[in-house]
Amino acid sequence: MNKAEMAYKPVEYSIRTVDLTMVYRSGRVEVPALYDVDLDVEKGEFVAIMGPSGCGKSTLLHLLGGLMQPTSGQILIDGTDIAQLGDAERTSVRRLKVGYVFQRFNLLPTLTAQGNIDLAKKIHGNGHLNPYKSEEIFEMLGLSDKIHFRPSELSGGEQQRVAIARALINHPAIILADEPTGSLDSRNSQQVLRVLQTLNERLKQTIVMITHDSEAASVASRIVEMRDGQIFKQASHLAYEPELEGLL
Amino acid sequence: MESMVVANMRSRPTRTFISVLAVAIGVILMLIIGGIVSGTLNDYLNRTMSVGADFILQPSGASIFYAFNNATLDGRIAQKLRETSGIGAVTPVLAMMNVSEFGLVFGIDLESYNQFPGRLQIVSGTASLKGDDVIVDELYARVHKLRPGSHLTFKDHDFTVSGICKPGAVVRVFAPLATLQDLNGTPGKATIMFIKVAPGAERSEVESRLRGTYAGYGLTSTQDETLLLADTKMPGLKEFQVVVIVVSMLLSFMVVLVAMYTTIFERTREIGILKSLGASRGFIVAMILKETVIISGLGVLFGIVVSELARKAIIHAFPTLQVSMTWPEVLTACVLGLLGGALGALYPAYKAARMDPVRALTYE
């Protein structure tokens, strides 16, 4: 099957990238970040992306979330090529289909946990269609007694769980997690990974998670390893054996 | 979003307070300076009307604001006017500016002046205006602690208070016409003539007759609405009011611009977070504008309250000064205060909306 046929194949993937290339430009200097990346993520799949610093993992995640436009190639999100869309349309796709979880939690410091969740609902605009209420999500994430706390009053693990609740509140089809355990100790890391795994199993949400941690990656159903802006190898987590030095 | 806007304001109380204060100062400037100008002018015009004259005769091109005019009107015209058919009363007046108090003093012939409905009503002392006599109104007497027999110096000339009249007359200080003519160096001259139509005479006929006979003079009918709009004719007044409004708006505009511009840089990462959550440019612009509208609204409210208190304090401290604060003036100040703030927030809002989300998310 050639690439053109793949691009028009009936949608069965949550995410597909075709020849995805990203080159950063700074004046006359061009810094390549991704070359011809072809990545398929099935609906409901949990994919971990690993690789050394500078290999293009974060760039890939930002492109998948429509936070930037690629130099060339396609990014199909539920069949819509967001690489062809303008800023407003990409924002709309992100709002409706994507939930982000960041390494540094990125909660708004002036708002309480509940305020952060409400803001996400407000931005989404269709919060009333969500099958889950904030209370249920807080319950599921063990945050029921923390909803009136501000981020500065929460532990790192609690903040990350609030960030996950925020990503989850609008029931996005895809959750993009950028090193969600990168700022956590091992106990909190385990807690957050369990939450992500549960979400994937119970809510059937597609999760793409960047991580440096092979133990974290082991909760995913598939591990994709990147190197120098390209996919170096990929395998199910059971079959995956890291080969790169300095990967961890 | 409302809670986020309020949370942002509460998290930066100093910035919020300074912004509110700047908008309030703009509103206070508009209301107090504008109020003093319009209050004084309106008071002056009302007093002019209170004389009860039907016409005011002046040299051609002279302003209704007598202080701007020289006494160039020949006093003998008064007698000629009295002989004109249909005219019941005429009184010549010489208006002089008391620069030290920024108030007018009228030199009048008391006998002819008192033929008008707005005649001086003496409440103490005597109705005498000869030589160095002076009559002041009750308010002026109270402020300057004067009573019949007290001395008053004007133009280096010593006057004696002969009587105190009720307030509401065209000016607060009246001196003999001849004395002021001498002091002014214009014997036999007057600034204006108040003219009253005789009972039973047709006003319009008298007016046409006067306009025909005194074509080279300025004749203002007190029924003429343009007299009431005379503040628009005062030289430089409109420009002054525009300058006050522009300065006030600029103050709100610039402080809000700087405050919001600084804020969006402080909040770069937060804006990145909002974008990662799918916030549209419109959402971000609306968020910043809402915050500005709340800040400006608080500033306007604060400004109105302080202006009202200041107005009362000014009137208490300077009873002869009039500070008007009408609903249209308050409404104008509200609109301009909000507009100045909103305009100041537009550029920061535009910058925030166009921020690159990836750069914003990695901003330290």
Side-chain angles (χ1 to χ4, degrees):
Chain A
M1 189 187 301
N2 63 33
K3 284 173 178 170
E5 285 171 334
M6 283 171 67
Y8 295 103
K9 193 179 166 188
V11 177
E12 52 185 318
Y13 293 102
S14 193
I15 299 170
R16 301 195 79 192
T17 67
V18 182
D19 290 343
L20 188 60
T21 298
M22 183 70 194
V23 179
Y24 292 108
R25 287 189 176 85
S26 176
R28 292 182 181 177
V29 181
E30 291 192 346
V31 183
L34 292 180
Y35 300 104
D36 295 336
V37 172
D38 295 332
L39 174 70
D40 297 336
V41 181
E42 288 178 29
K43 283 189 176 169
E45 196 178 5
F46 189 160
V47 175
I49 298 177
M50 300 185 74
S53 295
C55 72
K57 304 184 299 292
S58 293
T59 298
L60 178 61
L61 205 73
H62 291 146
L63 287 167
L64 295 181
L67 287 174
M68 42 189 204
Q69 207 152 18
T71 308
S72 64
Q74 291 180 306
I75 307 166
L76 299 161
I77 301 293
D78 273 352
T80 304
D81 184 4
I82 63 168
Q84 301 300 320
L85 301 179
D87 180 69
E89 291 88 356
R90 276 188 285 124
T91 301
S92 179
V93 169
R94 182 164 65 248
R95 181 166 59 242
L96 298 173
K97 294 184 183 293
V98 177
Y100 262 105
V101 179
F102 299 95
Q103 178 182 353
R104 288 175 54 187
F105 326 129
N106 280 346
L107 296 173
L108 292 171
T110 54
L111 298 179
T112 61
Q114 181 72 62
N116 271 279
I117 306 298
D118 290 345
L119 179 66
K121 283 161 80 173
K122 177 99 182 169
I123 289 172
H124 189 264
N126 288 323
H128 60 286
L129 299 176
N130 189 357
Y132 305 105
K133 292 184 175 168
S134 329
E135 294 77 17
E136 290 172 333
I137 291 172
F138 279 129
E139 179 74 37
M140 186 162 64
L141 298 176
L143 290 166
S144 298
D145 56 340
K146 305 285 183 186
I147 58 171
H148 298 303
F149 285 52
R150 289 180 197 284
S152 58
E153 298 163 327
L154 298 171
S155 71
E158 287 166 340
Q159 286 187 59
Q160 193 59 294
R161 279 184 281 148
V162 172
I164 292 171
R166 183 181 63 183
L168 201 60
I169 192 68
N170 295 315
H171 199 56
I174 301 164
I175 289 183
L176 302 176
D178 190 356
E179 302 201 42
T181 59
S183 300
L184 301 177
D185 58 27
S186 58
R187 189 177 63 83
N188 278 309
S189 293
Q190 284 303 318
Q191 221 171 11
V192 166
L193 290 170
R194 266 201 305 277
V195 166
L196 290 174
Q197 204 169 20
T198 308
L199 290 176
N200 178 243
E201 288 167 3
R202 278 177 55 184
L203 308 182
K204 304 296 178 205
Q205 280 172 311
T206 306
I207 299 177
V208 177
M209 176 179 73
I210 287 177
T211 183
H212 276 103
D213 182 355
S214 57
E215 199 178 334
S218 67
V219 301
S221 51
R222 182 157 56 107
I223 297 172
V224 174
E225 191 176 309
M226 290 187 70
R227 191 177 192 184
D228 297 331
Q230 290 184 306
I231 292 178
F232 176 67
K233 72 172 188 176
Q234 48 187 316
S236 77
H237 79 274
L238 295 173
Y240 177 76
E241 289 178 17
E243 293 181 14
L244 293 170
E245 282 182 22
L247 180 67
L248 304 180
Chain B
M1 184 158 70
E2 283 72 16
S3 62
M4 185 187 179
V5 167
V6 173
N8 283 336
M9 289 169 58
R10 289 175 62 179
S11 70
R12 294 163 178 88
T14 308
R15 179 190 65 89
T16 303
F17 175 72
I18 289 172
S19 304
V20 167
L21 196 62
V23 175
I25 289 171
V27 170
I28 293 165
L29 270 177
M30 271 190 265
L31 287 177
I32 293 298
I33 296 181
I36 288 175
V37 170
S38 62
T40 305
L41 289 178
N42 288 335
D43 180 56
Y44 178 67
L45 291 172
N46 288 337
R47 285 160 171 279
T48 298
M49 303 300 277
S50 75
V51 173
D54 293 306
F55 302 105
I56 300 168
L57 188 78
Q58 297 173 275
S60 178
S63 168
I64 191 71
F65 298 99
Y66 317 125
F68 293 116
N69 305 327
N70 290 323
T72 55
L73 207 56
D74 193 330
R76 289 171 297 185
I77 293 173
Q79 191 50 44
K80 284 187 181 175
L81 281 167
R82 285 186 193 109
E83 292 162 4
T84 305
S85 169
I87 289 180
V90 177
T91 187
V93 172
L94 191 148
M96 277 180 81
M97 191 71 181
N98 182 359
V99 180
S100 63
E101 292 180 355
F102 198 68
L104 271 181
V105 176
F106 264 17
I108 59 169
D109 165 46
L110 188 59
E111 191 184 338
S112 61
Y113 189 88
N114 277 347
Q115 289 171 3
F116 284 78
R119 65 185 176 279
L120 301 187
Q121 297 176 52
I122 303 298
V123 291
S124 65
T126 57
S128 165
L129 214 47
K130 289 173 187 165
D132 297 331
D133 286 345
V134 70
I135 295 175
V136 298
D137 78 359
E138 282 179 307
L139 197 58
Y140 189 91
R142 192 168 74 233
V143 172
H144 293 84
K145 298 183 173 59
L146 298 174
R147 53 187 179 185
S150 300
H151 290 273
L152 177 66
T153 303
F154 166 60
K155 281 265 185 184
D156 297 328
H157 191 87
D158 190 44
F159 288 92
T160 305
V161 176
S162 57
I164 292 170
C165 65
K166 279 188 176 176
V170 62
V171 292
R172 300 190 187 281
V173 182
F174 296 87
L177 177 62
T179 309
L180 278 205
Q181 284 171 332
D182 288 344
L183 278 177
N184 198 40
T186 53
K189 300 287 184 182
T191 314
I192 51 170
M193 305 265 175
F194 286 119
I195 303 167
K196 179 81 186 155
V197 173
E202 187 60 45
R203 184 186 170 116
S204 57
E205 284 175 16
V206 173
E207 182 171 358
S208 350
R209 207 170 298 140
L210 287 172
R211 289 201 186 280
T213 313
Y214 298 93
Y217 293 82
L219 187 76
T220 306
S221 166
T222 54
Q223 285 186 335
D224 184 356
E225 286 183 359
T226 56
L227 175 68
L228 301 174
L229 298 173
D231 57 337
T232 60
K233 292 180 177 175
M234 187 171 172
L237 180 66
K238 199 161 191 169
E239 289 78 1
F240 173 73
Q241 287 173 323
V242 169
V243 167
V244 170
I245 288 171
V246 168
V247 167
S248 308
M249 277 189 75
L250 267 181
L251 190 67
S252 308
F253 170 82
M254 291 183 74
V255 172
V256 170
L257 174 72
V258 171
M260 297 312 285
Y261 197 75
T262 312
T263 300
I264 67 148
F265 277 102
E266 274 177 21
R267 286 195 214 152
T268 297
R269 195 178 180 86
E270 291 178 28
I271 291 164
I273 296 168
L274 292 175
K275 290 201 160 201
S276 75
L277 293 173
S280 64
R281 289 180 178 181
F283 183 95
I284 290 167
V285 168
M287 179 188 76
I288 291 171
L289 288 183
K290 272 188 182 181
E291 185 170 335
T292 307
V293 166
I294 293 175
I295 286 174
S296 303
L298 289 173
V300 165
L301 272 179
F302 186 49
I304 290 170
V305 171
V306 172
S307 297
E308 177 58 17
L309 293 175
R311 189 181 73 86
K312 286 183 173 165
I314 289 169
I315 291 171
H316 181 75
F318 308 99
T320 56
L321 200 59
Q322 297 298 314
V323 188
S324 93
M325 201 188 292
T326 61
W327 280 112
E329 286 165 347
V330 171
L331 197 65
T332 305
C334 284
V335 171
L336 294 177
L338 289 171
L339 194 65
L343 287 175
L346 276 182
Y347 180 63
Y350 170 79
K351 287 279 286 182
R354 291 188 60 84
M355 229 174 237
D356 177 350
V358 175
R359 282 190 185 180
L361 280 168
T362 53
Y363 185 82
E364 295 295 338

